[in-house]
Amino acid sequence: MRTRTLTLAAAAGAALLSTALLPSSSTAASSGAKGPASAQEGTVSAASLLAKVTSCSQISNGKYRTDEETSATIPVCGKNGAVFWKGDMDIDCDGQVTTKCNGSTDPWFQDDTAFHQSNGQPLRADTLPYVVVPSSSSIWNYSSAGIKGGGVVAVIYNNKVEYAVVGDTGPTQIIGEASYATASALGINPNPETGGTDSGVTYILFKNSQVSPIENHGAAVTLGDSLAKQFIANN
């Protein structure tokens, strides 16, 4: 939910960086205390998903920046059952205060997220893989496109697939941010101040999907794998 600037990042030494509901499968998963189990989740390969997003049918009214001071070059693209974009990954450490995510480790830290756990608490960025979507604007309104809090996202990087949920919203003109746990699972430096990657990340957001409770990562993987198979079959 922060706005990053290249000036701040440089000063800090940062590298630029089918509606469905599933019940909670375990107390540990519901607590948000367990992180992702592996960097390659589900049974659908990165190559199979990437083969379906080689071209873009732009659905956004304009394009997004990857950072505040870069030019707008990233469109949101539409496919059957999903929307996607390709770009960078900045690290979102917002939400619950932990040893990895707090005001000392993250200069942009905020102790809240746009969407909350089933117990009303903010999400936990260092254990829950989640993705940040741009706040609704004249460029693009995510909710009008069938994207909602808790929606499933396939995040692809370096030939790996990680399933995440839509967990936070960000600036209206910037795109490409995910939680500490998402980055860590994909082998991206998760440090909120110096981590991230400035290219090579693909985000595929499945329309009208929702994990309940949002903090159940196991449910996100199960639903994500099913939706990924549907996506490949329908595109």
Side-chain angles (χ1 to χ4, degrees):
M1 297 174 70
R2 86 210 65 176
T3 300
R4 294 179 182 271
T5 69
L6 294 182
T7 301
L8 281 174
L16 279 182
L17 325 163
S18 100
T19 299
L21 293 172
L22 289 181
S24 172
S25 60
S26 70
T27 301
S30 293
S31 71
K34 290 181 64 178
S38 73
Q40 170 60 53
E41 296 186 322
T43 61
V44 180
S45 70
S48 296
L49 288 168
L50 291 175
K52 300 298 182 178
V53 293
T54 56
S55 61
C56 175
S57 176
Q58 184 171 332
I59 62 170
S60 54
N61 294 322
K63 296 181 179 181
Y64 287 95
R65 304 170 181 173
T66 57
D67 292 286
E68 190 172 83
E69 297 178 14
T70 61
S71 57
T73 60
I74 310 296
V76 177
C77 312
K79 298 290 284 189
N80 288 331
V83 303
F84 74 92
W85 60 81
K86 300 180 180 183
D88 71 338
M89 182 185 290
D90 292 328
I91 308 303
D92 190 337
C93 231
D94 294 343
Q96 295 184 38
V97 176
T98 68
T99 56
K100 295 175 181 176
C101 294
N102 56 69
S104 297
T105 62
D106 182 1
W108 305 276
F109 180 76
Q110 297 182 37
D111 61 359
D112 200 6
T113 49
F115 306 105
H116 291 170
Q117 293 183 163
S118 54
N119 63 4
Q121 292 184 339
L123 303 182
R124 180 171 171 172
D126 63 351
T127 59
L128 181 68
Y130 70 73
V131 166
V132 181
V133 296
S135 296
S136 296
S137 71
S138 58
I139 299 177
W140 183 57
N141 184 325
Y142 66 87
S143 59
S144 295
I147 306 304
K148 61 186 72 177
V152 183
V153 187
V155 187
I156 305 164
Y157 177 76
N158 197 23
N159 213 32
K160 299 172 184 175
V161 179
E162 173 69 16
Y163 288 104
V165 292
V166 175
D168 205 357
T169 57
T172 57
Q173 298 183 338
I174 297 175
I175 205 166
E177 190 173 5
S179 68
Y180 184 110
T182 309
S184 181
L186 290 169
I188 296 171
N189 180 356
N191 186 298
E193 186 173 3
T194 62
T197 183
D198 32 349
S199 64
V201 185
T202 299
Y203 304 83
I204 302 175
L205 293 74
F206 299 110
K207 295 179 180 179
N208 301 314
S209 64
Q210 190 170 41
V211 174
S212 180
I214 191 173
E215 66 269 21
N216 189 335
H217 180 63
V221 176
T222 300
L223 180 55
D225 193 50
S226 175
L227 292 174
K229 292 174 182 176
Q230 293 179 31
F231 177 73
I232 289 172
N234 294 335
N235 287 280

